Amino acid sequence: MLLITVALVVLIAPFFSGIKEAIALLPLVAFILVFDDLRDMTTAYFRGREEMHLEAIVVIVGNLAITGFGFAVLLLRPTPFNYTIAYAASSILGWAVATALLKRRIPNFLKHFKK
């Protein structure tokens, strides 16, 4: 589903916008979409396992990164492209934290999987 959504954003969305600068940002928006959704999937896993402390870590780190990188861009070089890059970096950081917290649980996930 995520790959279909990315394809729609990259291939179809440009036809809905007449703003040339916005069309140039769509591949970055698709990139953000992927990492935000992967991060959200891990937080949903943590919520389902009732490990809200891990979910909170992921959400707080992601939100702090968005805020910090966003303010840095606004102070240094406030352009839509730079802000999109900052948001993408924040999204990747949130996903990386979620993956690091999830990493030790992945082997056990398949061991306890019931068809």
Side-chain angles (χ1 to χ4, degrees):
M1 293 295 288
L2 189 56
L3 291 175
I4 292 169
T5 305
V6 167
L8 289 173
V9 168
V10 173
L11 301 174
I12 305 297
F15 295 111
F16 292 101
S17 177
I19 304 170
K20 187 172 146 181
E21 293 82 10
I23 293 171
L25 296 176
L26 288 176
L28 286 173
V29 170
F31 191 74
I32 291 168
L33 179 73
V34 168
F35 285 100
D36 271 352
D37 284 353
L38 291 174
R39 183 194 64 199
D40 288 345
M41 186 175 68
T42 59
T43 58
Y45 173 79
F46 291 143
R47 188 177 303 138
R49 300 282 303 161
E50 296 181 359
E51 295 177 327
M52 275 47 157
H53 60 289
L54 299 176
E55 177 187 0
I57 290 169
V58 173
V59 170
I60 289 169
V61 168
N63 289 342
L64 286 175
I66 290 168
T67 303
F69 291 156
F71 276 121
V73 165
L74 288 174
L75 292 173
L76 300 174
R77 297 190 57 112
T79 66
F81 180 77
N82 288 339
Y83 191 72
T84 306
I85 292 290
Y87 195 96
S90 303
S91 183
I92 291 170
L93 180 63
W95 169 78
V97 168
T99 301
L101 293 172
L102 188 66
K103 191 165 129 179
R104 63 186 165 136
R105 289 165 176 76
I106 290 173
N108 293 333
F109 174 75
L110 293 177
K111 186 186 329 177
H112 300 294
F113 183 75
K114 292 180 184 172
K115 197 173 178 182

